[in-house]
Amino acid sequence: MRKRILLVSLLVTVLAILIYSLVSTQLYYNLMVEQEQGRLSVYVNMFSPGEYTLDNDGAKALSQRLEGTRVTFMDGEGNVIGESAAEQIEPDHSDRQEVIEAMENGSGYAVRSSDTLAQDMMYYCEAVTVEGSVYYIRVAQVLQSQWSMYVSLLPSLALYFIIDVFGCLVFTFIATYFVLHPVEELTRKAAGGGEVTTRYSELTTLTEILNERNRNIEWRMREVEEEKKLVERAQDSKNEFIANITHEMNTPLTSIKGYAELLSSGMLNGEQAQTAYRTISSQSERLSNLIACIINYNEIDDDTLPPYDVDLSKLAREMIEVVRPEAEKRNITIIDEIEDNVIVQSRHELMTQLVGNLTRNAIRYNKEGGTVTIKLSYKKLVVADTGIGIAPENMDKVFSRFFTVDKSHSGKNGGFGLGLAVCRKICRRSGWKISVESSLGKGSTFTVDFGRR
Ligand code: ADP
């Protein structure tokens, strides 16, 4: 940038100097020619017929008086009759421009380049009448040529050029300092991130562009950071999931392995062998239940299965009938507060799991003779119980995979701690919010908010 400014300013000023010197040389030369013309016409007027003879001697005498100016006398036809110069000249001068003009107008000028470029000759010719006959007197003066005049200017031009380079350097420094410095300052600050401001209106657009760019970078960096966190979280969650599955599988497998070994040793009596067979059978079933639960949990994310209108009122009433025998065993009353024709966008098997898990939990974690209330409106589904409740420190965890409050009961009745995790996943898929309110020893209320107003 700086180099370019220096180069352009140098080019402009050098061109200006050249043009200026050429034009001024031309003007000066024209002025000099004009002055010389005046001087030569005065010289011719110094001739008086009686004083000088019209031959070589007369010409030389007049030349001497005119400080060595060359003098030529010609007759009325332009033939040379007297010449002050020593060299031989052509006798007939009638074709010379100044002579032709003098023959026509009484006087004439001409400037001709001499053999060397350094000199021009200026001629002035005037008609005079001597004893009734017309003669022509021509005086000639050496002029400095325009070219030699220009050449003589070259040393001064060189000096101006040096001054020019210096001037351009100063100009470039000032230009770059006052013009580029604020831009450099702005970009330097912008490179450090954050918002930048300027007091120069010319730089407002640049400032806006830089700020916009910084905002985009910041936004992208935040996005990358969030994506990174999500990936990390997903990885953690995957590891935890695998650890949990391994743990859940290990217990029944150890039991199966132990009893199988005992059976094969032949050490068990008939009754003990029966117990061993029953345990192996129940633990195998538990294992296959666990696998089925995990497969089911993963299938909830299957996007290839499209949602459709599900009559949730009907589904919830059917579910009450399914779980009623289980409730009756413990004298638990189910209260139906289900409104008719509540339709939701989902899938039948998903809604069966959502309502089933919440209702079964409300029975399972209830007290003898307690109640379970199922409320359904177009806004929300509420499953409330009068059971054991959830401790405040566990409220956030109940929706996590494989979380069970009472570990010793984990696995009984298929409770792997996946029921509420499945519910949360189903709700997320539909954009619903699932939450819980609970009081330890008094009961819990699970609410699914459909997000409708
Ligand atoms: P589980 O198969 O163990 O029931 P869930 O995911 O359904 O798994 O529930 C996780 C845990 O949350 C349960 O182990 C239980 O401790 C607690 N919980 C769930 N529902 C209730 C409820 N209605 N009342 C009290 N505790 C509950």
Side-chain angles (χ1 to χ4, degrees):
M1 182 81 167
R2 279 196 176 95
K3 270 189 203 156
R4 193 172 276 195
I5 291 176
L6 181 65
L7 210 75
V8 170
S9 55
L10 262 177
L11 205 78
V12 168
T13 47
V14 164
L15 265 176
I17 289 174
L18 276 175
I19 292 168
Y20 177 75
S21 55
L22 278 171
V23 170
S24 55
T25 310
Q26 177 71 51
L27 287 174
Y28 179 68
Y29 180 78
N30 291 347
L31 192 73
M32 200 181 72
V33 167
E34 226 172 87
Q35 278 179 353
E36 212 49 41
Q37 278 175 352
R39 199 161 65 89
L40 290 180
S41 95
V42 172
Y43 277 6
V44 170
N45 288 336
M46 289 172 96
F47 170 82
S48 56
E51 206 175 339
Y52 303 98
T53 53
L54 291 167
D55 53 14
N56 284 350
D57 291 340
K60 279 176 190 159
L62 182 58
S63 169
Q64 257 173 9
R65 197 174 157 204
L66 302 178
E67 296 159 335
T69 305
R70 186 179 157 192
V71 177
T72 310
F73 293 143
M74 284 160 280
D75 64 14
E77 271 73 49
N79 296 314
V80 177
I81 50 172
E83 168 63 47
S84 67
E87 73 264 26
Q88 201 66 41
I89 62 160
E90 232 184 277
D92 183 5
H93 267 37
S94 59
D95 58 347
R96 304 291 201 274
Q97 192 198 330
E98 67 278 9
V99 179
I100 294 168
E101 274 182 31
M103 284 175 172
E104 283 172 9
N105 308 321
S107 67
Y109 291 100
V111 176
R112 282 193 287 279
S113 293
S114 71
D115 295 343
T116 62
L117 272 175
Q119 280 190 340
D120 283 349
M121 285 298 284
M122 178 166 192
Y123 300 94
Y124 176 68
C125 185
E126 202 175 297
V128 289
T129 310
V130 180
E131 292 164 3
S133 307
V134 175
Y135 294 92
Y136 296 100
I137 302 173
R138 188 185 74 168
V139 283
Q141 185 67 37
V142 174
L143 270 185
Q144 194 183 6
S145 75
Q146 201 169 341
W147 171 246
S148 73
M149 211 178 260
Y150 195 74
V151 169
S152 66
L153 272 179
L154 285 179
S156 340
L157 282 181
L159 180 71
Y160 284 131
F161 183 72
I162 292 165
I163 296 170
D164 175 47
V165 171
F166 181 72
C168 285
L169 276 172
V170 173
F171 168 76
T172 308
F173 175 76
I174 294 170
T176 51
Y177 186 81
F178 287 104
V179 177
L180 293 183
H181 184 69
V183 181
E184 280 175 352
E185 192 77 349
L186 202 66
T187 44
R188 195 174 51 75
K189 276 188 198 158
E195 288 273 312
V196 285
T197 50
T198 182
R199 58 195 163 107
Y200 304 103
S201 59
E202 296 85 351
L203 297 181
T204 315
T205 316
L206 178 65
T207 313
E208 278 164 11
I209 290 170
L210 288 173
N211 283 337
E212 182 65 27
R213 191 204 63 153
N214 273 0
R215 273 195 292 273
N216 280 345
I217 290 174
E218 242 173 70
W219 181 67
R220 255 180 231 153
M221 272 168 70
R222 233 178 287 142
E223 249 188 1
V224 169
E225 202 61 37
E226 270 165 28
E227 265 167 34
K228 211 174 112 191
K229 273 189 199 151
L230 275 178
V231 170
E232 279 171 5
R233 232 180 283 155
Q235 188 59 39
D236 286 351
S237 158
K238 193 176 144 195
N239 292 343
E240 192 197 317
F241 192 50
I242 290 169
N244 283 328
I245 291 171
T246 319
H247 176 77
E248 291 291 337
M249 283 181 160
N250 214 23
T251 319
L253 271 177
T254 313
S255 183
I256 291 168
K257 193 171 167 254
Y259 278 105
E261 275 169 8
L262 279 174
L263 279 172
S264 66
S265 71
M267 281 157 54
L268 302 180
N269 61 30
E271 201 180 317
Q272 285 171 325
Q274 281 306 310
T275 313
Y277 285 130
R278 271 199 304 278
T279 311
I280 289 174
S281 166
S282 70
Q283 292 301 322
S284 307
E285 198 181 323
R286 179 169 157 68
L287 258 183
S288 73
N289 274 350
L290 174 64
I291 291 164
C293 281
I294 292 165
I295 292 170
N296 173 55
Y297 180 80
N298 284 331
E299 273 175 355
I300 295 169
D301 283 332
D302 191 349
D303 287 333
T304 55
L305 300 170
Y308 49 82
D309 282 354
V310 179
D311 186 342
L312 199 53
S313 309
K314 191 168 161 242
L315 190 145
R317 285 199 184 111
E318 282 168 5
M319 184 55 68
I320 290 175
E321 294 319 312
V322 170
V323 297
R324 198 181 291 283
E326 207 182 315
E328 279 171 357
K329 267 189 223 163
R330 298 175 61 207
N331 284 327
I332 294 166
T333 316
I334 301 177
I335 302 166
D336 176 341
E337 291 185 12
I338 298 166
E339 286 178 16
D340 287 333
N341 299 322
V342 175
I343 308 292
V344 291
Q345 270 283 302
S346 184
R347 297 183 62 82
H348 197 270
E349 70 275 13
L350 298 180
M351 287 302 95
T352 305
Q353 287 191 65
L354 177 69
V355 182
N357 287 349
L358 293 177
T359 317
R360 279 201 188 92
N361 277 352
I363 297 169
R364 194 182 298 160
Y365 302 106
N366 217 319
K367 293 172 191 162
E368 188 77 24
T371 58
V372 171
T373 310
I374 301 173
K375 283 187 206 172
L376 178 68
S377 69
Y378 77 101
K379 280 188 182 175
K380 52 191 165 186
L381 165 72
V382 179
V383 180
D385 63 66
T386 55
I388 59 171
I390 304 163
E393 68 270 21
N394 290 331
M395 296 271 270
D396 288 342
K397 299 180 198 157
V398 289
F399 294 104
S400 307
R401 290 173 308 204
F402 297 106
F403 177 82
T404 48
V405 173
D406 186 354
K407 300 285 174 202
S408 65
H409 291 92
S410 157
K412 282 185 184 169
N413 309 318
F416 298 107
L418 280 172
L420 288 179
V422 163
C423 291
R424 184 178 62 176
K425 213 174 190 191
I426 292 169
C427 289
R428 269 195 194 154
R429 195 186 141 125
S430 293
W432 304 335
K433 198 176 158 243
I434 184 163
S435 58
V436 60
E437 279 174 18
S438 185
S439 170
L440 202 57
K442 288 186 180 162
S444 313
T445 303
F446 285 83
T447 306
V448 175
D449 192 332
F450 301 131
R452 296 171 180 162
R453 284 160 193 277

